[in-house]
């Protein structure tokens, strides 16, 4: 660090807190996916095929998730239908 | 029965082989019969770091395929006589490490050694999966940097689902966080994730913090496990980590920056 750097470089280097925040979000997201059962992608694909027999929808319009509680698991299915 | 310890990380270049060399040397120096296995088939480097590259005749894959015995392939360390190295093959495909073959070698080693240290290749492919499959404990080597922390979390997920202990429904693999290339000055300036940040995100117990140090490159240049550089901060930090692995209580060191005065910062550089 030279004489002039000492006075100018203080501000924009505090990136560690940004790193931490980004990591917390992505790691939580990836852990959520990790805990999903193995059959989920296949289930999603087949559901998509069935729905497409009747309605034209794109891949991202079907969301399948499993929520686990202590006593039971809930399969949550969200289908977004296109507007007419 | 030996304790089987995998040194893993997901990401490459974070210090797995450096750590494997130092941890195994540290265990052996305390009198434990220790063998360190290089699982990086095709990209073997543990032999270089441990200065036995010119003594490799047979390797791990030769043993698995029955072309050599374990005794022929094991290399005895010249500095610590309770330490042996099993080098990786430089020419074969990674798939040469079959699950049955690896299990046979590990079982045979388990009868003769107290500790088996498995140096994992980077990635989450076959070689890395084989290195962690039989582990009782895992040292997850992590740099204080976003891609390394994310990959470490991924590897933790794999340890919890794809190791033998997970598949057999046994007690889980015991996880240890080893933070390497840590630069306390940059942490104090807010430029680098702190130990506490990484512990909070990964949520596994901290085994040690190895400060970023020029000694590490100097040591690997010479084929000297850095733990043998006893006067260096990195060497001492590895020795602390080995002590903790063996159940000793050691306070964490080298985690805060040496305060520099106004003049030394102005004239000597950061």
């Amino acid at each position: 660090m030279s004489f002039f750097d000492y006075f100018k470089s203080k501000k924009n280097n505090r990136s560690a807190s940004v790193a931490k925040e980004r990591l917390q979000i992505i790691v939580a997201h990836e852990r959520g996916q990790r805990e999903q059962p193995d059959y989920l992608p296949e289930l999603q694909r087949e559901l998509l095929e069935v729905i497409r027999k009747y309605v034209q929808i794109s891949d991202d319009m079907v969301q399948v998730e499993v929520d686990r509680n202590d006593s039971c698991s809930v399969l949550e299915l969200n289908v977004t239908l296109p507007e007419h | 029965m030996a304790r089987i310890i995998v040194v893993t990380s997901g990401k490459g270049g974070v210090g797995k082989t450096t750590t494997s060399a130092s941890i195994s040397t540290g265990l052996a120096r305390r009198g434990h019969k220790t063998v360190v296995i290089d699982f990086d088939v095709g990209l073997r480097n543990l032999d270089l770091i441990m200065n036995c590259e010119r003594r490799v005749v047979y390797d791990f894959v030769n043993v698995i395929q029955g072309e050599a015995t374990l005794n022929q392939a094991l290399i005895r360390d010249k500095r610590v006589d309770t330490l042996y190295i099993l080098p990786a093959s430089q020419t074969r495909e990674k798939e040469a490490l079959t699950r049955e073959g690896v299990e046979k070698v590990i079982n045979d080693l388990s009868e003769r050694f107290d500790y088996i240290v498995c140096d994992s290749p980077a990635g989450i492919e076959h070689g890395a999966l084989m290195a962690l499959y039989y582990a009782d404990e895992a040292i997850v080597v992590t740099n204080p940097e976003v891609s390394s922390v994310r990959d470490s979390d991924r590897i933790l997920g794999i340890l919890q689902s794809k190791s033998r202990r997970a598949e057999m429904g046994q007690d889980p693999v015991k996880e240890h966080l080893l933070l390497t290339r840590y630069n306390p000055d940059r942490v104090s300036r807010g430029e680098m994730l702190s130990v506490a940040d990484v512990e909070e995100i990964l949520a596994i117990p901290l085994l040690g913090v190895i400060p970023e140090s020029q000694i590490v490159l100097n040591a690997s240049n010479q084929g000297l496990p850095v733990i043998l550089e006893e006067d260096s901060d990195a060497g001492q930090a590895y020795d602390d980590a080995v002590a903790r692995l063996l159940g000793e209580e050691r306070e964490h060191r080298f985690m805060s920056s040496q305060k520099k005065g106004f003049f030394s910062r102005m004239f000597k550089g950061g």
Side-chain angles (χ1 to χ4, degrees):
Chain A
M1 203 187 277
S2 80
F3 183 83
F4 292 106
D5 288 342
Y6 183 75
F7 294 100
K8 73 177 185 192
S9 73
K10 283 271 126 170
K11 274 230 173 104
N12 42 12
N13 279 338
R14 317 231 160 186
S15 52
S17 54
V18 180
K20 185 182 178 187
E21 209 171 293
R22 292 175 61 218
L23 271 170
Q24 281 173 324
I25 293 165
I26 189 68
V27 163
H29 175 74
E30 288 177 346
R31 279 181 193 160
Q33 289 191 328
R34 200 189 287 163
E35 282 150 22
Q36 300 288 352
D38 295 342
Y39 60 76
L40 223 56
E42 182 68 8
L43 175 66
Q44 177 157 359
R45 198 186 55 74
E46 286 189 30
L47 281 170
L48 207 63
E49 273 175 30
V50 172
I51 295 167
R52 274 196 186 138
K53 284 186 183 170
Y54 306 94
V55 195
Q56 265 313 309
I57 54 171
S58 61
D59 287 5
D60 57 351
M61 290 162 93
V62 173
Q63 302 288 335
V64 186
E65 267 168 56
V66 175
D67 274 331
R68 287 211 185 96
N69 297 323
D70 291 339
S71 53
C72 65
S73 298
V74 177
L75 178 69
E76 189 183 313
L77 177 62
N78 260 307
V79 185
T80 315
L81 294 177
E83 286 180 45
H84 290 289
Chain B
M1 277 298 281
R3 262 166 89 185
I4 304 169
I5 303 172
V6 62
V7 177
T8 186
S9 71
K11 191 175 183 301
V14 296
K16 281 182 297 299
T17 301
T18 299
T19 297
S20 298
S22 278
I23 296 284
S24 57
T25 301
L27 288 167
R29 268 210 312 178
R30 284 157 190 266
H32 302 289
K33 287 196 74 180
T34 305
V35 58
V36 55
I37 309 176
D38 190 348
F39 274 79
D40 206 346
V41 172
L43 293 168
R44 117 174 134 214
N45 275 317
L46 183 68
D47 54 339
L48 262 183
I49 299 300
M50 303 205 51
N51 201 20
C52 62
E53 70 275 13
R54 304 208 310 185
R55 295 163 64 208
V56 176
V57 182
Y58 294 110
D59 59 55
F60 195 8
V61 173
N62 289 140
V63 177
I64 286 177
Q65 301 191 333
E67 296 156 354
T69 64
L70 255 181
N71 279 333
Q72 288 175 303
L74 285 173
I75 301 170
R76 188 177 201 160
D77 189 78
K78 289 224 161 141
R79 293 163 291 236
V80 187
D81 64 6
T82 49
L83 178 60
Y84 287 80
I85 297 120
L86 182 56
S89 169
Q90 191 65 311
T91 53
R92 308 296 179 92
E93 299 284 309
K94 291 212 186 243
E95 282 62 34
L97 297 179
T98 60
R99 187 172 284 192
E100 299 71 33
V102 174
E103 180 169 14
K104 171 89 171 60
V105 171
I106 291 220
N107 285 343
D108 289 351
L109 290 171
S110 199
E111 287 171 16
R112 299 170 44 182
F113 289 93
D114 304 322
Y115 288 91
I116 301 174
V117 177
C118 303
D119 182 20
S120 174
I124 50 172
E125 304 301 316
H126 183 73
L129 296 181
M130 282 298 105
L132 67 79
Y133 186 73
Y134 295 98
D136 300 310
E137 302 187 35
I139 297 176
V140 179
V141 183
T142 307
N143 291 169
E145 174 267 326
V146 285
S147 49
S148 175
V149 175
R150 181 197 206 174
D151 291 359
S152 292
D153 192 67
R154 184 96 169 81
I155 274 291
L156 287 168
I158 291 170
L159 282 163
Q160 290 154 14
S161 62
K162 297 204 171 149
S163 60
R164 178 173 61 173
R165 282 175 170 274
E167 285 186 358
M168 301 275 187
Q170 297 169 338
D171 291 339
V173 177
K174 192 174 176 193
E175 298 155 345
H176 306 276
L177 170 63
L178 188 75
L179 203 56
T180 56
R181 300 193 155 185
Y182 194 68
N183 186 330
D185 286 327
R186 300 199 71 183
V187 172
S188 68
R189 291 200 297 269
E191 297 170 10
M192 181 181 268
L193 291 164
S194 69
V195 183
D197 291 340
V198 180
E199 278 186 282
E200 188 185 329
I201 293 162
L202 294 179
I204 60 171
L206 181 67
L207 180 69
V209 178
I210 313 299
E212 183 164 56
S213 167
Q214 302 189 348
I215 292 285
V216 176
L217 179 60
N218 277 332
S220 73
N221 284 343
Q222 300 167 63
L224 184 73
V226 71
I227 196 170
L228 295 176
E229 296 277 16
E230 293 171 16
D231 297 330
S232 70
D233 48 2
Q236 291 172 14
Y238 270 117
D239 192 62
D240 286 354
V242 170
R244 290 187 201 106
L245 201 58
L246 293 169
E248 278 179 46
E249 294 275 334
R250 289 259 179 119
E251 216 172 304
H252 287 282
R253 298 190 275 173
F254 317 113
M255 279 165 44
S256 54
S257 55
Q258 277 97 29
K259 287 271 182 291
K260 278 185 184 163
F262 180 76
F263 283 101
S264 68
R265 286 170 70 164
M266 292 248 288
F267 298 110
K268 277 196 188 156

